[in-house]
Amino acid sequence: MRDVAAPLASGLEGVVVAETRLSEVDGERGRLTLAGHDVEDLAGGGVTFEDACGLLWGGALPGEAERESLRRAIAEGRTRAFALLGRLGDALQVGDGMDAIRAAVAHLSGDVPPAAIAGAVATFAAAWARRCAGEAPVAPDPALRLSADYLRMARGAAASEAEARELDTYLVTVSDHGMNASTFTARVVTSTGSDAISAVVAAIGALKGPLHGGAPGPVLDMLDAIAAKAGEGSAPPPGCAERWIQAELAAGRRIMGMGHRIYRVRDPRAAVLERAIERLERTAGGARSARLALAREVERAAEAALRARHPDRPLRANVEFYTAVLLDALGLPRALFAPTFAVGRVAGWCAHIDEQRRVGRLIRPSSRYIGGVPEAAAPPH
């Protein structure tokens, strides 16, 4: 019999499905806590991707010896993944980067530790970008930390320390974020008793969606479209961003990079990445200041327009808004933005996979049937 009185939580909103030590998202106050640390204290504070892995996988920021051990383990994962490139078939020939890394990671098998998975995702993403550019993949340098080596493998040119530091800022910032769609997907797969590779492959599929991790590229498209109104080399005239946004809203289109399912204030990760862009511009002599200035103008115009249309539903900048500007400033092609998100988020996926294994309980929610009811069987004679 159908239970029509059971409460329905569409999208599982408000439903607590797990206890975790990994991260907490406070949407009302705009705060993200990663394993006891405020994200704004971690990111940009000299914390590397390897440090974030140590924090999420081990519960505390690593000391010097542990950090070096993690760096070597992740570097070995990159090297082993590079050795597999010739045996991946056409996985890295597809046109979408998320499809490519999903297919490539699926070639891993056996009991793959988190460091090896993290290294492999970075190698596969960078190799795909090189092949898309018509260039040969660049072999990893095991002497480098992941951020520096990823930029080097993806661009074919060495990264400066400033560039590597700000990519670390990004990777740490996105390493974990509560029970988001891809993390939940990884935990559901893990709860069945399946392996870590299956869970990560499924999580990549969830992250690909434009409502989750696939929006940074379109944010850059938006900024380019607004900048084009002014002509090459000129700043957009006053009100240009506002007019463009109003036209998009009138046409029924979404403003990419604005709004978040959880945050009711500005996404704290947007602030972290905005500051990272500022630091990078100071290092580069201010050459990219026009892009940041435009992004800020667009954010203000979009926030005002959305507030006027939806006064009871705050829609402010999310992590993807300034992700687009930062990754572009680091010289990464926009098609690589979502795969780079996966390079950072895999740290959190692996941590949640371990947590879910410790729970050892199948995740199996219920559904409410609203289809037709079969006719009652004819009464016996």
Side-chain angles (χ1 to χ4, degrees), residues 124-353:
F124 294 151
W128 173 81
R130 291 290 289 170
R131 288 185 172 174
C132 282
E135 303 287 348
V138 176
D141 182 348
L144 298 176
R145 69 183 191 269
L146 182 136
S147 60
D149 206 20
Y150 180 66
L151 287 172
R152 174 184 159 276
M153 291 190 296
R155 304 184 315 188
S160 68
E161 175 55 31
E163 290 175 321
R165 182 175 61 248
E166 300 313 342
L167 182 59
D168 272 320
T169 297
Y170 171 73
L171 297 175
V172 171
T173 299
V174 302
S175 61
D176 198 53
H177 195 249
M179 197 58 65
N180 58 83
S182 58
T183 294
F184 182 59
T185 299
R187 291 190 75 133
V188 169
V189 174
T190 302
S191 79
T192 70
S194 192
D195 58 280
I197 294 301
S198 295
V200 170
V201 167
I204 291 169
L207 189 68
K208 177 186 175 183
L211 296 185
H212 187 11
V219 168
L220 207 59
D221 295 338
M222 172 180 68
L223 296 178
D224 286 347
I226 295 172
K229 296 290 185 181
E232 187 68 26
S234 302
C240 181
E242 181 181 359
R243 288 191 295 273
W244 190 93
I245 288 166
Q246 291 290 357
E248 289 294 290
L249 292 174
R253 290 188 284 268
R254 296 177 64 240
I255 305 301
M256 304 307 292
M258 300 297 295
H260 192 276
R261 177 74 171 265
I262 304 298
Y263 291 115
R264 295 296 174 262
V265 293
R266 195 177 192 237
D267 188 332
R269 299 169 299 172
V272 170
L273 299 184
E274 184 183 13
R275 288 194 292 271
I277 300 163
E278 288 179 336
R279 289 192 298 269
L280 193 61
E281 288 187 349
R282 287 197 297 269
T283 303
R288 300 183 181 95
S289 60
R291 174 79 82 179
L292 179 58
L294 173 61
R296 286 169 165 162
E297 180 187 345
V298 172
E299 181 188 5
R300 287 191 294 268
E303 184 179 326
L306 291 168
R307 183 169 55 246
R309 284 178 174 255
H310 309 285
D312 299 326
R313 182 160 57 97
L315 294 168
R316 303 191 65 183
N318 60 41
V319 67
E320 292 172 333
F321 192 91
Y322 285 100
T323 288
V325 183
L326 176 60
L327 297 187
D328 178 63
L330 290 172
L332 296 178
R334 66 193 69 191
L336 193 56
F337 289 179
T340 303
F341 196 159
V343 171
R345 183 55 58 84
V346 71
W349 291 338
C350 289
H352 280 273
I353 288 167

Side-chain angles (χ1 to χ4, degrees), residues 68-82:
E68 178 59 20
S69 177
L70 279 166
R71 189 200 62 74
R72 287 197 304 267
I74 294 172
E76 183 179 354
R78 297 197 301 275
T79 301
R80 289 185 174 183
F82 189 82

